[in-house]
Amino acid sequence: MASAATLALALSLAPVAVAGAQPSTEPTAPLSTPSFTDVPTTNQFHGYITWMAETGITTGYPDNTFRPTNPVSRQALAAFLYRAITEQDSDFETPPSASFVDKPVTGSFFREVEWLATTGITTGWPDNTFRPGYNVERQAMAAFLFRAAGCPATTLPSSATFVDVPASHTFFREIEWMASTGVSTGWIVGSQAEFRPGAQIERQAMAAFMHRANAQGLLHPGTNNCPGQQTPDPTPPSVAAGATVISAGAEHSLVLRTDGSLYAWGNNHSGRLGDGTVSSRRTPVRVLDNVASVAAGGEHSLALRTNGSLYAWGHGFWGQLGDGTNVSRRSPVPVLTDVTAISAGRFHSLALRADGSLYAWGRNHFGQLGDGTTTDRFTPVRVLTGVTAISAGEIHSLAIRTDGSLYAWGRNIGGQLGDGTTTDRLTPVPVLTGVTTVSAGGARSLAVRTDGSLYSWGFNGNGGVGDGTNVNRHTPVRILTGVTAVSAGSAHSLALRTDGTVYAWGYGRYGRIGDGAVSTRPLPVRVQLTNVTAISAGGRHSLAVRADGSLYTWGHRSTGPLLGGGSLSQPTPVRLLTNVASPTG
């Protein structure tokens, strides 16, 4: 069994051999009984965690658990460091105004985060955010502890200690300091040592790191060499440009807020909201942290986290969750790693991985997965390579490849594939060139080309194509210019133009168009909203984010996508939330 020093660095990884592991530095007189019900004396971290409890650094949770393998959020680490260093009797005066836009004066841990900023332990990000709900990576932990030690002079080795932290790494100095002081030991894989800087750190590992640093008297930021030389806070792992920050499903909605937290509301049949229940919600509930992109499908949901891991929940009968079962899930379950973009259809899902490969899973009765069969898939299967953007419709799919060519596959009864036929396609077929953005809807498709022109095609009942007719279009037709983003719903569509205005068309019942009426619109009409940065069209409702981070919604009320109200229709946008993330992540 690995030593405590080894496991202090582990984050739910397979056991590996470790070199340079330190002897345990647990307190000489640990508690004779566990501090927490989930940290028995046999736990290798028991002494470290007990020290945190005895000193008041942690109180645990109300159910008397510590949850040792859970990740650590940035605001929780602020609290732990504050308590460890100030011994809870600091003369620090809480400022009257906030340093970060996402950590207001009235928020929890405001004092601790402000202390972190004042002492120089955190710098935040250039957009003036702290991102309190983001989980702490190992490189961030190194940076915070290094600053908490006063940014001490560090003799850097001639060669890097860890193979994955070269001298060119942004946090080379901080991580080498961790190694030189024995606060961290790393892993040995083969003949090389690894630090794994981008991995998230568990609460038990944090306890070990903090105890080792404290035991050496390293934590004292009061007098330090930090001012003017801190490396900016580590940036969360990047995701594909244009990450989806809002997503309207058939009868539910998802939104990503500035702190990386995911909120959901609406119909919760099959657990599609992800809050562990099947109770519908008329107000948004927090579901998951460290999220970079969201996708709401027919009765299921997807979330891409900042470390590239994909989670799914909700209805799973057709395998659309991708976890190998046909079981519905009320809470998020992991599905795939190294993901950069996601899209959820009615009963199928798509994911784009970092290497440009497209994976699909779920119902496949019309070939909407694109793998050449009509066999449902309960785990992801690779469909296409060289892909840059994806969109899953109700029963068809779209993908843009690296050369700007658009491919389509699946159901084609209304001509939604755009290949000039009404023949279903079990594998991707080329449709259009010079494409930058796509969206697949009920039985229609949208694409924006490099010149900003918007093309639409497919089923044209109720003006769904937007060309002023009710004739199905089997090939793309141009309907609008100056467009930057599009979203195709079940029976209506939205387009965002370069000036921040939104246009809508299609079936207008329940006010889903947003122009103040409940009439069907066969041509694009302007929505009563300006300064918009992101849009999403759902089953019978619509969402939009303005430049100030406020979320607006309109359309059908009864199943919860909107808040309250006596009428089923909300024909104009109403504000629902603030602090919604930027659409570029």
Side-chain angles (χ1 to χ4, degrees), residues 421-515:
T421 76
T422 55
T423 303
D424 297 343
R425 303 293 185 178
L426 306 187
T427 56
V429 294
V431 180
L432 202 60
T433 59
V435 177
T436 61
T437 304
V438 292
S439 183
R444 292 160 294 103
S445 301
L446 303 174
V448 179
R449 302 187 79 174
T450 54
D451 62 357
S453 55
L454 169 60
Y455 286 74
S456 179
W457 62 96
F459 179 69
N460 205 9
N462 296 308
V465 170
D467 66 344
T469 77
N470 60 1
V471 177
N472 291 351
R473 300 296 185 179
H474 301 163
T475 56
V477 294
R478 192 170 76 164
I479 64 168
L480 208 57
T481 59
V483 175
T484 62
V486 289
S487 182
S490 294
H492 75 293
S493 298
L494 304 176
L496 175 61
R497 304 189 78 174
T498 54
D499 61 358
T501 57
V502 177
Y503 283 73
W505 62 97
Y507 192 37
R509 191 179 182 187
Y510 303 118
R512 71 190 80 184
I513 301 299
D515 66 341

Side-chain angles (χ1 to χ4, degrees), residues 73-116:
S73 71
R74 284 168 59 87
Q75 64 182 3
L77 182 59
F80 291 145
L81 286 172
Y82 174 80
R83 297 167 192 165
I85 294 172
T86 65
E87 297 181 352
Q88 304 182 76
D89 61 353
S90 172
D91 292 331
F92 174 68
E93 294 185 7
T94 306
S97 59
S99 298
F100 304 109
V101 295
D102 56 353
K103 181 48 72 173
V105 174
T106 56
S108 59
F109 300 109
F110 172 73
R111 177 180 175 82
E112 290 86 345
V113 171
E114 287 296 333
W115 171 82
L116 215 66

Side-chain angles (χ1 to χ4, degrees), residues 16 89 169 225 252 258 275 292 306 316 374 379 391 402 408 418 422 479 481 585:
V16 293
D89 61 353
H169 191 281
N225 301 312
H252 73 296
T258 54
D275 66 344
T306 54
T374 54
T379 56
S391 184
T402 52
T422 55
I479 64 168
T481 59

